[in-house]
Amino acid sequence: MISIKTKLALWLTALVLASSLLGLVFIESMLRQAFHDSIIDRLHEDLEQVALASYVNDNDVFINKSQLSGFYNPAYSGRYYQLNQGDIEVRSRSLWDKHLNIKPLLPGETRVWQAKGPQNHDIQLFSKGLEPLADNQKNPTLTVAQDLSIGRKVFTEVYGTKLTVNMLMLLVMLIGIFLILRQSFKPVNKMKHALAQLREGHISSLSLESVPAEIKPLAKTYNELLDYTSNQIQRSRNNLGNLSHGLKTPLAVMRQQVEVLGLKDPQTAAALEQQLDQIHKMIERKLAAARITGDMLPAAQMVIQRDLDQLCTTMSKVHHHKRLTYKFDISEQISRLPIHREDGMELFGNLLDNASKWANETVLSRIWLHQNEILVSVEDDGPGVAAEDLPKLTRRGKRLDEEVAGHGLGLSIVKDICEQYQLQISFERSPSLGGLKVLLHFPGPEEI
């Protein structure tokens, strides 16, 4: 799932880009309209000046150039006029040898349009039908025009400058968004780091001093849950310890009574002795399971490399007479297992201890990812278990120490932990070492 920080960054970036784009389009449209309106206003003024300068002499139409701007004199200057009256056509000197295609208009009628002018440039034209300059003459149509190339060049420069400034402002805004989000999420990153330390057992609770007000209730509730879980675990350990110690004395008395009974009824005494042994082993197994929790924090997870090194150091001392070699094949993508650290230590401790008992020289531990699962295997090069006895190791409702000789209490505890975490466990012959291979399936964590 996409993070809140990434989602905010994407939405804010999209909002800024969309608003900036709309603003640029709107401003460009306004500038173009203003540019067009300014040209039309100037053409209105030019047309009035040319109309005032127009007169008739001996039935010929003339325009007094001295009353007009000097822009109409240079050839192709960009400012033009043309007066059409029937077959008569009077043009500005700036048109040189070119003429404009003019549509005759009635008096007071106007026309605004664009066309190609001299030098094939786009020009803006404004025509107006005038009253006859003299009696018995046709209605003249006066047209003024302006070259758009120069104005468009100026418009492009102005708009280009505006666009550059807007792009720089947009870049600054985007950088500001990411800096603000980064600064705002610093407390969340600190909390993420604190959770990682909590999983590794370095701290016992989350510090509420630097937690933002929005998530402080969540952190406080999490701390309360940690305290509650820790108290429950400690209470369970105490209850199991008290129960075990309380049962030891009655068991000792019962053993004495069985020894006395053995003198009179050996068969009955043997049957009772067997049941007492089972009770004793069950107590030992539950005590070992109680030691799983230890004094670790309830949120601490097993850090694979560190904790396995500790276990192997311990196993080397316990089985020092065998001089075993402990090998590891651990994926670099996996740094810890999604299991409480003490549970993991007990789980691997019993697996390594069982493998060390039967191994001749080598114990191999492998951890790797496969199809969104974490697979864990512990193998040895010992005699292993007969093929027909392998299914008995996973049979439910039976104690492992009653099924296969030698693989007893340790694997019973392993099975209990697997049931507690709903892990799949299987036993098979090791293809590389030839001994027993224990394979565990852990769910793949979202972030390892």
Side-chain angles (χ1 to χ4, degrees), residues 118-150:
Q119 298 180 311
N120 204 32
H121 289 177
D122 290 333
I123 58 174
Q124 180 71 54
L125 301 99
F126 177 61
S127 296
K128 184 176 182 181
L130 303 178
E131 296 291 339
L133 299 176
D135 296 337
N136 301 321
Q137 286 192 344
K138 296 182 179 180
N139 298 326
T141 299
L142 179 59
T143 301
V144 291
Q146 180 173 329
D147 194 325
L148 295 177
S149 59
I150 298 177

Side-chain angles (χ1 to χ4, degrees), residues 23-155:
L24 288 174
V25 171
F26 179 71
I27 291 175
E28 192 266 350
S29 177
M30 287 185 59
L31 288 176
R32 286 190 182 277
Q33 188 63 42
F35 174 68
H36 178 267
D37 293 344
S38 66
I39 291 178
I40 298 300
D41 290 341
R42 173 177 288 182
L43 291 177
H44 269 283
E45 295 176 0
D46 290 350
L47 188 139
E48 295 296 333
Q49 290 180 1
V50 175
L52 291 175
S54 302
Y55 64 95
V56 177
N57 186 12
D58 295 334
N59 294 326
D60 288 333
V61 179
F62 295 93
I63 296 178
N64 189 356
K65 296 181 181 180
S66 63
Q67 298 181 16
L68 301 178
S69 171
F71 285 108
Y72 294 110
N73 294 325
Y76 309 136
S77 65
R79 299 276 290 277
Y80 314 105
Y81 66 79
Q82 181 174 303
L83 179 65
N84 294 81
Q85 184 177 0
D87 297 332
I88 300 175
E89 182 178 280
V90 180
R91 294 176 293 161
S92 63
R93 188 173 184 276
S94 57
L95 279 172
W96 201 247
D97 57 347
K98 304 294 182 180
H99 69 92
L100 305 176
N101 295 322
I102 304 301
K103 177 183 177 181
L105 300 176
L106 298 174
E109 186 179 359
T110 61
R111 180 189 178 198
V112 177
W113 81 103
Q114 292 183 4
K116 291 292 183 180
Q119 298 180 311
N120 204 32
H121 289 177
D122 290 333
I123 58 174
Q124 180 71 54
L125 301 99
F126 177 61
S127 296
K128 184 176 182 181
L130 303 178
E131 296 291 339
L133 299 176
D135 296 337
N136 301 321
Q137 286 192 344
K138 296 182 179 180
N139 298 326
T141 299
L142 179 59
T143 301
V144 291
Q146 180 173 329
D147 194 325
L148 295 177
S149 59
I150 298 177
R152 285 178 176 175
K153 182 179 179 181
V154 174
F155 172 81

Side-chain angles (χ1 to χ4, degrees), residues 218-236:
L218 177 62
K220 185 177 180 181
T221 303
Y222 190 72
N223 283 342
E224 292 174 353
L225 180 60
L226 288 176
D227 292 338
Y228 175 78
T229 304
S230 179
N231 292 334
Q232 289 294 100
I233 291 174
Q234 185 63 38
R235 190 179 297 112
S236 298

Side-chain angles (χ1 to χ4, degrees), residues 168-207:
L168 291 176
M169 292 177 61
L170 178 61
L171 181 61
V172 171
M173 290 176 67
L174 292 178
I175 294 175
I177 287 174
F178 286 101
L179 291 178
I180 291 172
L181 287 177
R182 182 180 178 182
Q183 188 68 24
S184 300
F185 275 84
K186 271 188 176 181
V188 178
N189 293 332
K190 290 181 180 179
M191 188 172 182
K192 182 180 178 181
H193 178 68
L195 288 172
Q197 289 186 314
L198 196 63
R199 285 196 299 268
E200 295 179 7
H202 297 321
I203 59 176
S204 59
S205 62
L206 298 174
S207 175

Side-chain angles (χ1 to χ4, degrees), residues 153-425:
K153 182 179 179 181
V154 174
F155 172 81
T156 302
E157 292 177 354
V158 172
Y159 186 71
T161 303
K162 172 67 176 176
L163 183 62
T164 302
V165 173
N166 284 354
M167 289 295 101
L168 291 176
M169 292 177 61
L170 178 61
L171 181 61
V172 171
M173 290 176 67
L174 292 178
I175 294 175
I177 287 174
F178 286 101
L179 291 178
I180 291 172
L181 287 177
R182 182 180 178 182
Q183 188 68 24
S184 300
F185 275 84
K186 271 188 176 181
V188 178
N189 293 332
K190 290 181 180 179
M191 188 172 182
K192 182 180 178 181
H193 178 68
L195 288 172
Q197 289 186 314
L198 196 63
R199 285 196 299 268
E200 295 179 7
H202 297 321
I203 59 176
S204 59
S205 62
L206 298 174
S207 175
L208 301 180
E209 296 179 358
S210 59
V211 176
E214 291 81 1
I215 58 176
K216 182 171 289 186
L218 177 62
K220 185 177 180 181
T221 303
Y222 190 72
N223 283 342
E224 292 174 353
L225 180 60
L226 288 176
D227 292 338
Y228 175 78
T229 304
S230 179
N231 292 334
Q232 289 294 100
I233 291 174
Q234 185 63 38
R235 190 179 297 112
S236 298
R237 290 182 66 242
N238 292 338
N239 290 338
L240 284 174
N242 294 336
L243 178 62
S244 64
H245 288 295
L247 289 175
K248 283 184 177 180
T249 300
L251 278 177
V253 174
M254 291 175 68
R255 285 185 181 278
Q256 292 177 359
Q257 296 298 324
V258 169
E259 290 178 2
V260 175
L261 180 62
L263 300 176
K264 299 179 181 179
D265 190 350
Q267 186 174 0
T268 303
L272 290 175
E273 181 67 28
Q274 183 179 4
Q275 297 300 318
L276 290 176
D277 286 340
Q278 292 182 12
I279 294 173
H280 176 73
K281 291 178 180 179
M282 184 178 296
I283 291 174
E284 292 297 327
R285 186 152 63 99
K286 294 304 178 183
L287 280 175
R291 288 195 301 271
I292 287 174
T293 56
D295 296 325
M296 298 303 301
L297 299 173
Q301 289 187 344
M302 182 178 183
V303 180
I304 296 174
Q305 195 62 53
R306 179 194 67 192
D307 295 336
L308 285 184
D309 287 342
Q310 294 180 4
L311 285 173
C312 289
T313 301
T314 302
M315 291 300 157
S316 297
K317 294 179 181 178
V318 173
H319 302 280
H320 61 90
H321 58 284
K322 303 187 72 171
R323 295 184 179 179
L324 297 174
T325 300
Y326 294 92
K327 296 182 178 180
F328 298 95
D329 182 11
I330 302 174
S331 172
E332 295 181 356
Q333 298 175 283
I334 309 173
S335 61
R336 53 179 172 261
L337 289 176
I339 185 174
H340 187 273
R341 183 189 175 194
E342 198 65 20
D343 290 357
M345 295 287 280
E346 192 71 16
L347 178 69
F348 273 91
N350 281 287
L351 288 175
L352 291 174
D353 182 56
N354 183 78
S356 300
K357 289 178 182 178
W358 296 96
N360 295 320
E361 296 180 353
T362 306
V363 175
L364 173 63
S365 299
R366 298 180 63 231
I367 303 176
W368 71 100
L369 281 173
H370 178 68
Q371 295 181 354
N372 201 31
E373 281 188 329
I374 299 177
L375 299 184
V376 177
S377 68
V378 178
E379 310 171 37
D380 62 74
D381 60 350
V385 179
E388 60 272 14
D389 290 331
L390 285 174
K392 298 179 182 179
L393 294 174
T394 54
R395 183 177 300 173
R396 298 185 61 84
K398 296 287 186 179
R399 296 217 331 271
L400 297 178
D401 54 329
E402 289 182 343
E403 293 293 338
V404 181
H407 299 279
L409 183 60
L411 292 184
S412 297
I413 296 173
V414 168
K415 185 178 179 183
D416 288 342
I417 297 175
C418 289
E419 290 178 350
Q420 176 185 348
Y421 284 91
Q422 298 181 346
L423 306 179
Q424 181 182 349
I425 181 172

